[in-house]
Amino acid sequence: AQSVTQLDSQVPVFEEAPVELRCNYSSSVSVYLFWYVQYPNQGLQLLLKYLSGSTLVKGINGFEAEFNKSQTSFHLRKPSVHISDTAEYFCAVTPRGGGFKTIFGAGTRLFVKA
Amino acid sequence: SAVISQKPSRDICQRGTSLTIQCQVDSQVTMMFWYRQQPGQSLTLIATANQGSEATYESGFVIDKFPISRPNLTFSTLTVSNMSPEDSSIYLCSVEGGAYGYTFGSGTRLTVV
């Protein structure tokens, strides 16, 4: 079975500051890792994903995430945030070869202040 | 990636009534997924809908409460039946998944009064 823990429910940050949203996971099998963003009153949009290869993956809107196998983490980062980055961010895992059963974290609310 | 049109975007319904949510995809897809997002919470998979077969429901969800149709490879509906205030949630359809990651519809915000 898999589980996903997003360590911060809310992250307030000032505009142009760096941000890190933390995600740890637990799984008995290898997994694919994802970050999704949900803007107010919208559905979820895929930000980035880790399938294999380089542990640093870059996504849309200047976000990147680093896969750390030993720490079973997949933290999301952005060096300089904008007001428009205010949204809910979800970390998710899908077991490799396990069909389409995806487990989502509880979400982190990023609030960017002027 | 696929583009999904989901409607209605929001609705306020009386308890005891039913609401049908529609999702139209701009390409043919084998599997479609229906999720529920309760207020302030993460996503929970309701069921997986394959064309030409019965939907597969997750634990805690039953066909009588959430009947699903999948008449072709580009369309699906989810009905929330005999609604109560506890059904107030965002309902999302999605496609692809697996290593591709999901593409989601814009969601239906349901309030039951």
Side-chain angles (χ1 to χ4, degrees):
Chain A
Q2 295 78 41
S3 66
V4 178
T5 302
Q6 292 185 240
L7 297 161
D8 307 292
S9 59
Q10 297 185 67
V11 174
V13 62
F14 285 102
E15 192 173 22
E16 298 184 5
V19 70
E20 178 180 80
L21 306 184
R22 297 179 294 167
C23 173
N24 287 349
Y25 70 94
S26 172
S27 178
S28 57
V29 300
S30 294
V31 295
Y32 303 120
L33 296 153
F34 306 87
W35 275 98
Y36 291 87
V37 59
Q38 185 177 33
Y39 297 105
N41 298 314
Q42 294 187 30
L44 278 74
Q45 179 182 3
L46 181 63
L47 260 183
L48 49 78
K49 59 186 176 183
Y50 173 77
L51 303 182
S52 64
S54 173
T55 58
L56 182 65
V57 292
K58 296 187 182 298
I60 62 172
N61 301 339
F63 283 92
E64 63 181 31
E66 185 159 20
F67 169 57
N68 187 317
K69 186 176 182 179
S70 62
Q71 297 186 7
T72 60
S73 67
F74 190 53
H75 300 333
L76 181 70
R77 303 185 183 102
K78 186 170 183 177
S80 176
V81 295
H82 303 290
I83 297 287
S84 59
D85 292 323
T86 294
E88 190 88 18
Y89 292 79
F90 293 94
C91 182
V93 300
T94 299
R96 294 172 185 264
F100 297 86
K101 193 68 68 81
T102 296
I103 304 299
F104 289 84
T108 297
R109 175 76 175 164
L110 175 63
F111 179 60
V112 182
K113 301 177 286 187
Chain B
S1 60
V3 176
I4 303 175
S5 298
Q6 182 174 346
K7 58 182 182 181
S9 59
R10 61 180 67 241
D11 208 341
I12 301 174
C13 300
Q14 297 291 323
R15 67 176 66 202
T17 63
S18 298
L19 175 72
T20 296
I21 303 167
Q22 300 180 3
C23 274
Q24 178 75 51
V25 189
D26 70 343
S27 59
Q28 294 184 339
V29 294
T30 304
M31 302 172 75
M32 294 182 71
F33 308 88
W34 287 96
Y35 280 88
R36 181 175 72 183
Q37 185 180 17
Q38 294 178 298
Q41 298 189 29
S42 189
L43 282 74
T44 302
L45 181 64
I46 298 172
T48 302
N50 291 329
Q51 194 269 333
S53 63
E54 292 284 333
T56 302
Y57 289 83
E58 298 299 306
S59 175
F61 298 97
V62 295
I63 188 171
D64 290 346
K65 177 67 175 177
F66 298 101
I68 289 172
S69 77
R70 184 80 202 277
N72 57 53
L73 290 173
T74 63
F75 187 78
S76 180
T77 67
L78 170 76
T79 299
V80 186
S81 303
N82 188 24
M83 289 184 285
S84 66
E86 292 71 34
D87 294 320
S88 297
S89 292
I90 300 173
Y91 292 86
L92 296 144
C93 63
S94 63
V95 301
E96 295 180 319
Y100 299 101
Y102 286 105
T103 297
F104 285 89
S106 55
T108 296
R109 283 148 188 82
L110 170 63
T111 302
V112 183
V113 298

